[in-house]
Amino acid sequence: MDLAQRYPSLHVSRHPLVAHKLSILRDVGTDTKKFRELVRELTWLLGYEAMADLDTRPRRVETPLEAIEGAEVDPRVGLVPVLRAGLGMVDAMLELIPTAQVWHIGLYRDERTLKPVEYYNKLPDAATVQVCLILDPMLATGGSSAATVDILKAWGAARIKQISLIAAPEGVATLSGQHPDVDIHVAAVDRELNERGYIVPGLGDAGDRQFGTFAGPSSEPGHEPGDETAEVVRRLQRDLARD
Ligand code: PRP
Ligand code: URA
């Protein structure tokens, strides 16, 4: 069955510009500067689609010719970039919705267990926004996004959406299994995770490609997987096949 039919919360962009830009983003020959530009442009396009159902309230406006009833976005919107790769998506979203608050969440994925580890969270006690848009280019195992949603729900966020550039089917299954109420907006859903938990064909490491932090082969997809990591991926793939 088609993934979008199986997971009603999944929205895969059909826009030709998204497909065009994503192909250049994936290209191993795309340098860091161009990569950052494309992350920004793709976020703009996906963010536009993800906010298509925001409520508006009437706003009286005087044009130079007459008064009309215009509109303004009603809910308070919070952008939640997941450090560090989500940082590159913030500026584009702020261009679209300059009144948004930005709340950073720091999570990294333990390379061995693929479990998210939280290292930064300065959310105040109670939610200050009604709609949260989680920004993270990669939805791989889904562990980081499901953990971010847990944090935001505990905070009191009423409505949450995830905006990612590329998802793996395993990540979509995890996130929509744990949080079916969270809309997932992506440019593409790729074939699968490899034994290190990287999305294939994917684009490699989104953080490293944006920030130029290539530390050598051990940090790159395709390097020797640990047994434990490969087992985590196999378990996710079994769960997906069983669904
Ligand atoms: C990447 C990515 C996501 C996470 C996705 O971050 O930006 O946050 O992995 O993987 P998951 O769906 O399996 O949890 P990473 O841990 O590499 O940290 P970084 O952004 O600091 O490089
Ligand atoms: N994080 C990335 O940056 N890329 C992947 O393929 C998976 C997780």
Side-chain angles (χ1 to χ4, degrees), residues 19-192:
H20 178 98
K21 288 175 190 294
L22 181 65
S23 301
I24 308 173
L25 188 79
R26 290 179 187 278
D27 192 327
V28 67
T30 296
D31 67 20
T32 304
K33 177 171 184 288
K34 183 77 187 160
F35 191 91
R36 279 196 297 265
E37 286 168 9
L38 287 160
V39 168
R40 194 178 145 281
E41 291 164 12
L42 280 160
T43 303
W44 207 99
L45 295 167
L46 294 176
Y48 176 78
E49 290 181 352
M51 288 191 280
D53 63 355
L54 289 188
D55 289 333
T56 57
R57 59 175 174 248
R59 179 179 173 219
R60 196 85 187 146
V61 185
E62 302 273 345
T63 81
L65 302 179
E66 64 178 37
I68 53 152
E69 188 156 287
E72 63 188 3
V73 169
D74 190 36
R76 276 193 306 278
V77 173
L79 307 176
V80 185
V82 179
L83 305 176
R84 53 191 174 136
L87 282 177
M89 302 172 74
V90 175
D91 283 355
M93 292 298 294
L94 282 174
E95 279 169 20
L96 288 176
I97 180 147
T99 54
Q101 302 175 13
V102 183
W103 295 103
H104 300 83
I105 297 287
L107 291 177
Y108 72 87
R109 212 168 62 142
D110 181 291
E111 275 189 16
R112 215 165 29 86
T113 63
L114 299 181
K115 293 249 174 308
V117 181
E118 186 179 334
Y119 63 89
Y120 185 85
N121 174 355
K122 292 270 187 214
L123 292 173
D125 287 346
T128 55
V129 294
Q130 283 123 11
V131 177
C132 283
L133 303 175
I134 300 173
L135 309 178
D136 192 335
M138 307 305 269
L139 177 59
T141 64
S144 303
S145 57
T148 307
V149 174
D150 288 339
I151 293 168
L152 295 176
K153 285 188 173 172
W155 188 44
R159 190 139 178 249
I160 303 171
K161 293 169 182 257
Q162 165 98 15
I163 304 179
S164 293
L165 303 184
I166 303 182
E170 295 88 337
V172 173
T174 300
L175 180 56
S176 60
Q178 293 183 27
H179 298 289
D181 53 322
V182 171
D183 283 324
I184 307 170
H185 289 266
V186 295
V189 180
D190 277 6
R191 192 176 68 246
E192 60 185 354

Side-chain angles (χ1 to χ4, degrees), residues 1-30:
M1 192 202 285
D2 174 56
L3 274 181
Q5 277 179 298
R6 191 161 156 186
Y7 303 109
S9 56
L10 174 66
H11 307 273
V12 185
S13 177
R14 292 169 185 271
H15 202 295
L17 284 178
V18 169
H20 178 98
K21 288 175 190 294
L22 181 65
S23 301
I24 308 173
L25 188 79
R26 290 179 187 278
D27 192 327
V28 67
T30 296

